[in-house]
Amino acid sequence: MKNPFTYILLSLPFSLLLVCMLLPTFDDWTYMTTPYFGDWFSAERVLPNQNYWRPFDALFGSVLGLNYHLFPVLNHVVIVIGHLFSAILVYLIARRLAFSRLSLFITTLFFYLSPSMLGAVLGIDSINQIYSHLWGLLALYLYLTTDGKWYRHGLMALCVLIATWCKENGLAWSVIPPLFAYGLSERLGKQMSRRQLLHGWMWSMAIVVVYMTLRVAFRYADIADADNEYLQSTLAEKMKDVLTFVGMPWIPVDYVSVVHAPNRNMWIAAATLMLGLPFIGVLLVRGRKVFSRFSFWTLLGCWVICASPHLLTLFSSMHAYAGLSMAALMAGMAADEVRSRKLLKLTFVAWLLVVLFIDYHHWVKSYHSGLTGRKMSLQAVQSTPGAKQRVYILIIDHGETKYSSFCVIPSDAFAWGYSVPHYTGYQWPEEVSDTVISSHEKALCPVKAAEAYARGYDWVWIVEGDSVISYPPQKASPQH
């Protein structure tokens, strides 16, 4: 019972059942990991196209196209399996670092249950994030455990390239294995010189050059202009990104009760913080000797490098997963320095109870958001007479707030109408367009609807709150 995977595997069927109950919202309906019924090897999907080159996601969408009823359950199963195998690799790497049995236990469960995993593991379009991390971890593990210069670096290069084809941030893993092996050489029992580190980084540069060359050579469309959402952010938004990056693994608080105004409950937030923070405090205070070790600072550097592509562009709760393995290893290394094992166990159990509550609360909100999206989609279908191929949607904005992919605005849960084809067996509509109008402009709906019908749309839906109402042509008015 001292093996963490005893508990993980015993709870896996229940965890998998809960995750598979989550329904798509928001970007889940517009990304490549939805059912696709066209050419499996369409150049637009499998070749570099603007900011993306994710052939595995494209092929996964084609697999779903064989039977659209597999969506989103198959997505969930693949994601949970990827997270499980990443946990196994984290355990094996920690064992390679000669962690104590208790620290192995802490490291593995820290990775498996930390709130940092929620955005990716509870997601549906996050297969790329999960498997980019998994292949990056495999590159690191093989680099640490294999001998032979060409064999060792060749396996690392292959895994890093696969990680990058899963998601572009995987390229950051090209730098990590040599740095990790150098900075933790004492714990690994293998001395590594600076010359060997530089040699490893030459391989890293070669991986980057090969990837970028292939990306340019096989591009379907050039990278989008720099004025896209990934590069537009204010200083305040960057500070928020850094707080998310640091806070989700290290500050155990129920973020639903803090961040999302409609669900704000400072009593719950305070209770989770008071019960969970002592464990982090024990690591910081009782395990403070770790701060004098170069190995710890190497892990911290690897943690930042893992997440750096997201920190430099766009950072959300899903992206916190990118550095979670390194954060877990940092926690395990600090735990090894704590002399009072009783205190460590007691505070860790309290932390476990807190994160289990946080994870469950986020699951509940994700579940309700998915139900809202399904309800609205069925309303749209049931209120529409016959199959309408071109639909226009008027979304009335009441200033609702959201919290990442957990507490989703109803119109986003409805995915601006892109969810509807799934509930019609992908028979209709073929085209969906939308306009957002403020609640103060609600009186303009007849005019906007008339304009849509004049442009050749077959039907108009009005979305207000979590309701979808059909607006037939006879209601529309061209007059203000």
Side-chain angles (χ1 to χ4, degrees):
M1 298 302 290
K2 293 182 179 179
N3 190 316
F5 289 100
T6 302
Y7 302 94
I8 290 173
L9 294 177
L10 284 174
S11 64
L12 186 61
F14 179 68
S15 303
L16 192 57
L17 175 63
L18 286 179
V19 172
C20 286
M21 292 171 64
L22 299 178
L23 297 170
T25 62
F26 199 56
D27 289 346
D28 297 332
W29 289 109
T30 58
Y31 185 57
M32 288 189 289
T33 48
T34 53
Y36 177 72
F37 305 98
D39 179 9
W40 278 48
F41 300 101
S42 165
E44 184 178 3
R45 288 169 60 83
V46 300
L47 294 182
N49 190 349
Q50 295 189 9
N51 298 319
Y52 298 102
W53 187 13
R54 301 175 187 174
F56 299 118
D57 282 355
L59 293 175
F60 187 84
S62 296
V63 170
L64 292 174
L66 297 175
N67 185 349
Y68 71 88
H69 296 289
L70 294 173
F71 179 76
V73 172
L74 185 60
N75 302 57
H76 286 307
V77 171
V78 170
I79 285 170
V80 171
I81 289 174
H83 183 54
L84 174 62
F85 276 97
S86 290
I88 293 171
L89 285 171
V90 168
Y91 175 86
L92 293 174
I93 293 169
R95 194 169 67 175
R96 188 80 178 174
L97 295 174
F99 283 11
S100 67
R101 179 169 289 183
L102 179 57
S103 293
L104 282 172
F105 195 95
I106 289 172
T107 300
T108 307
L109 291 186
F110 190 99
F111 173 81
Y112 193 72
L113 295 173
S114 169
S116 288
M117 62 84 187
L118 289 169
V121 176
L122 299 188
I124 291 172
D125 66 342
S126 55
I127 295 174
N128 47 57
Q129 190 75 44
I130 296 289
Y131 280 86
S132 177
H133 190 264
L134 174 60
W135 283 99
L137 277 176
L138 185 59
L140 172 60
Y141 180 71
L142 292 175
Y143 190 88
L144 298 177
T145 56
T146 54
D147 296 317
K149 180 174 65 175
W150 291 98
Y151 186 59
R152 181 189 197 193
H153 290 92
L155 286 175
M156 179 193 81
L158 177 62
C159 290
V160 169
L161 285 172
I162 295 174
T164 309
W165 282 319
C166 289
K167 192 168 187 176
E168 291 74 14
N169 67 290
L171 203 58
W173 285 94
S174 64
V175 179
I176 291 171
L179 176 61
F180 192 100
Y182 174 77
L184 290 100
S185 57
E186 184 178 346
R187 295 195 71 114
L188 291 166
K190 286 185 178 181
Q191 291 300 317
M192 185 174 177
S193 65
R194 290 184 181 179
R195 182 178 179 181
Q196 290 173 309
L197 171 62
L198 293 175
H199 182 264
W201 277 348
M202 288 178 64
W203 275 86
S204 303
M205 291 303 300
I207 295 170
V208 174
V209 169
V210 168
Y211 172 76
M212 296 307 297
T213 301
L214 292 173
R215 181 160 186 150
V216 171
F218 294 105
R219 68 186 183 278
Y220 174 82
D222 291 329
I223 294 176
D225 294 336
D227 61 348
N228 63 69
E229 62 174 332
Y230 286 93
L231 298 176
Q232 283 189 339
S233 59
T234 63
L235 179 60
E237 289 171 333
K238 283 299 175 189
M239 291 298 296
K240 181 182 176 182
D241 292 347
V242 172
L243 288 174
T244 304
F245 169 59
V246 175
M248 295 204 78
W250 299 115
I251 303 177
V253 64
D254 180 33
Y255 292 96
V256 170
S257 299
V258 175
V259 176
H260 194 231
N263 291 284
R264 188 164 291 146
N265 188 322
M266 300 315 294
W267 290 105
I268 293 177
T272 53
L273 190 63
M274 289 175 63
L275 284 173
L277 201 56
F279 169 65
I280 305 300
V282 167
L283 296 182
L284 291 174
V285 179
R286 296 295 184 94
R288 62 184 178 275
K289 283 186 179 180
V290 78
F291 298 126
S292 64
R293 310 202 189 285
F294 183 66
S295 55
F296 177 82
W297 294 103
T298 301
L299 285 176
L300 189 146
C302 291
W303 175 49
V304 174
I305 292 169
C306 283
S308 59
H310 301 305
L311 290 170
L312 292 171
T313 54
L314 182 68
F315 198 95
S316 68
S317 60
M318 181 177 73
H319 302 134
Y321 190 83
L324 180 55
S325 57
M326 296 301 153
L329 291 170
M330 290 163 64
M333 187 175 288
D336 252 351
E337 300 291 341
V338 179
R339 291 187 178 182
S340 175
R341 311 311 270 176
K342 185 176 181 180
L343 177 64
L344 182 61
K345 290 178 183 178
L346 182 65
T347 54
F348 180 65
V349 168
W351 180 89
L352 275 179
L353 294 174
V354 165
V355 298
L356 285 172
F357 171 79
I358 294 171
D359 294 349
Y360 177 71
H361 197 190
H362 282 70
W363 175 87
V364 168
K365 293 303 176 183
S366 298
Y367 178 67
H368 287 160
S369 292
L371 289 181
T372 298
R374 183 175 68 178
K375 184 195 82 167
M376 295 173 71
S377 300
L378 293 176
Q379 279 183 349
V381 174
Q382 293 166 2
S383 66
T384 305
K388 307 297 182 181
Q389 298 303 327
R390 300 187 70 217
V391 175
Y392 200 82
I393 303 175
L394 299 173
I395 300 173
I396 301 175
D397 181 15
H398 286 275
E400 298 98 331
T401 58
K402 67 175 184 177
Y403 165 42
S404 191
S405 59
F406 312 111
C407 305
V408 183
I409 296 170
S411 59
D412 290 352
F414 182 52
W416 322 283
Y418 286 101
S419 59
V420 175
H422 185 78
Y423 295 97
T424 66
Y426 290 91
Q427 299 300 309
W428 64 275
E430 288 186 0
E431 179 185 341
V432 176
S433 301
D434 68 89
T435 294
V436 178
I437 60 177
S438 70
S439 57
H440 304 295
E441 299 175 317
K442 185 177 176 180
L444 295 177
C445 283
V447 177
K448 298 287 185 182
E451 292 173 354
Y453 283 119
R455 293 199 301 271
Y457 284 93
D458 303 320
W459 204 251
V460 173
W461 292 323
I462 293 181
V463 173
E464 185 170 16
D466 62 354
S467 297
V468 181
I469 302 170
S470 282
Y471 208 82
Q474 55 267 30
K475 281 190 175 183
S477 172
Q479 299 177 359
H480 193 282

